Amino acid sequence: TTLLYTIKFESMASDISLVQPKENLENILGSNNQLYWKTTRLWYKNQISKEEYNRIAKDLLGESNIHVHNEFVLALLLKCQHMHRNVKKCKFMNISNTPIF
């Protein structure tokens, strides 16, 4: 079952697009758009905690729309994890002679 879960997870991550979750957020955020993305950058740079990021998102989106924020963050994390796995595979398989890091 672990192998099946891994295969399903990897195929799901490769299909993940950030376009729709981002559009969903921007439609709801309206004038709070810039503040949300500024806050997202602060969290990404580890300048604020995940808890603080979630609190600000909840303030900007409202409790009834916080699921849109959660969907965006999940898509972002899945995409990053998928990209990281691909880089590790390329290095392991020596696909490129050029060092990535």
Side-chain angles (χ1 to χ4, degrees):
T1 48
T2 305
L3 179 61
L4 289 175
Y5 177 75
T6 303
I7 291 169
K8 183 174 178 84
F9 180 78
E10 285 183 4
S11 68
M12 198 172 90
S14 64
D15 294 340
I16 294 282
S17 170
L18 296 176
V19 174
Q20 191 62 52
K22 184 178 184 230
E23 286 177 5
N24 293 344
L25 271 170
E26 290 177 343
N27 288 336
I28 294 169
L29 284 165
S31 62
N32 292 325
N33 199 355
Q34 287 184 344
L35 182 56
Y36 180 86
W37 295 118
K38 179 180 178 186
T39 304
T40 300
R41 282 190 294 278
L42 291 174
W43 169 66
Y44 190 75
K45 292 177 183 180
N46 207 25
Q47 294 176 348
I48 62 172
S49 68
K50 179 68 167 77
E51 291 77 18
E52 181 71 4
Y53 178 46
N54 287 340
R55 187 193 61 73
I56 294 169
K58 189 175 180 180
D59 290 346
L60 296 174
L61 291 163
E63 191 158 340
S64 63
N65 290 316
I66 196 64
H67 68 280
V68 179
H69 161 75
N70 293 337
E71 290 165 6
F72 171 76
V73 172
L74 179 60
L76 178 65
L77 294 174
L78 286 172
K79 194 65 151 181
C80 289
Q81 185 174 23
H82 178 71
M83 290 169 54
H84 178 71
R85 284 184 180 177
N86 284 344
V87 168
K88 286 173 80 173
K89 285 179 188 175
C90 288
K91 288 175 78 174
F92 176 74
M93 293 169 33
N94 199 16
I95 291 172
S96 170
N97 291 329
T98 308
I100 296 172
F101 300 102

